[in-house]
Amino acid sequence: MAHHHASLEFLLSRASTDNLVEPPPKGDQLRDILSAALRAPDHGRMRPWRYTVIKGKHREAFAQVVLEAMDRQEPDAPAAKKAKRRDRFSSMPMIIALGMHIEPDGKIPVIEQEMSVAAGAMNVLNALHAEGFGGIWVTGAFSEDRALLETLGLKEPHRLAGFLFVGTPEKPVEGRKRADVDDYMAIWKGEPVTFGADAG
Ligand SMILES: Cc1cc2nc3c(=O)[nH]c(=O)nc-3n(C[C@H](O)[C@H](O)[C@H](O)COP(=O)(O)O)c2cc1C
């Protein structure tokens, strides 16, 4: 790999993990990490990001909200899946709900507002990594449940981009094998490009 600056090295070394222990970021450090999200590109200054932090004793009750949402949205989910989800939502050091405050009738397409929330989430994951924390972005059909959304301050048409599980990595994050960038980039030379990723 070519030589690069420490900040790029750090971007290249981030990997998701749900193997998380105490502590999560708190106070000003948490505010700084979430401030990184507010640097996401945001067409039309829609400011669609709405973060709800769930931690401490409130996790248990929130896990119950998740379970009830699952009962409505995924009634056929196996008991083991429900138990795992309850366990994760009640035991992760911190959960950050990724609210999307969507303005459907304005000039800015909804997908652009959603992409701004996604870009913000990525910045949060990177900011966590920069400060020695770890996380993973998770979703599921339960996150479309209206009652769950309302407890997170998201009334119709506002929605969720999912949740970040946040904490301190229990051990150094290995990360999975990454794709080869050469398969995912092309240099345009006046003819339609093709990608190695799509060959064969
Ligand atoms: C919108 C979104 C939703 C995701 N939902 C889940 C999920 O519900 N469960 C899960 O294990 N991974 C989920 N992932 C994938 C993980 O966040 C993560 O990207 C994956 O474990 C690979 O790790 P990496 O970020 O180091 O590549 C989701 C990713 C995105 C972008």
Side-chain angles (χ1 to χ4, degrees), residues 130-164:
E131 294 290 281
F133 298 103
I136 185 167
W137 186 349
V138 297
T139 46
F142 67 96
S143 59
E144 288 159 33
D145 185 71
R146 218 57 253 175
L148 181 144
L149 292 171
E150 296 232 346
T151 196
L152 298 172
L154 303 164
K155 292 191 196 312
E156 185 75 41
H158 310 314
R159 291 180 290 112
L160 267 184
F163 298 89
L164 299 180

Side-chain angles (χ1 to χ4, degrees), residues 110-125:
V110 168
I111 191 167
E112 296 192 12
Q113 299 172 50
E114 294 168 342
M115 287 193 289
S116 184
V117 173
M122 187 69 245
N123 252 12
V124 172
L125 288 170

Side-chain angles (χ1 to χ4, degrees), residues 66-78 81-82 85 139-144:
V66 168
L67 261 281
E68 287 165 16
M70 270 187 96
D71 283 339
R72 285 184 289 267
Q73 305 296 325
E74 305 163 63
D76 301 328
K81 186 174 176 187
K82 289 187 191 174
R85 210 167 256 156
T139 46
F142 67 96
S143 59
E144 288 159 33

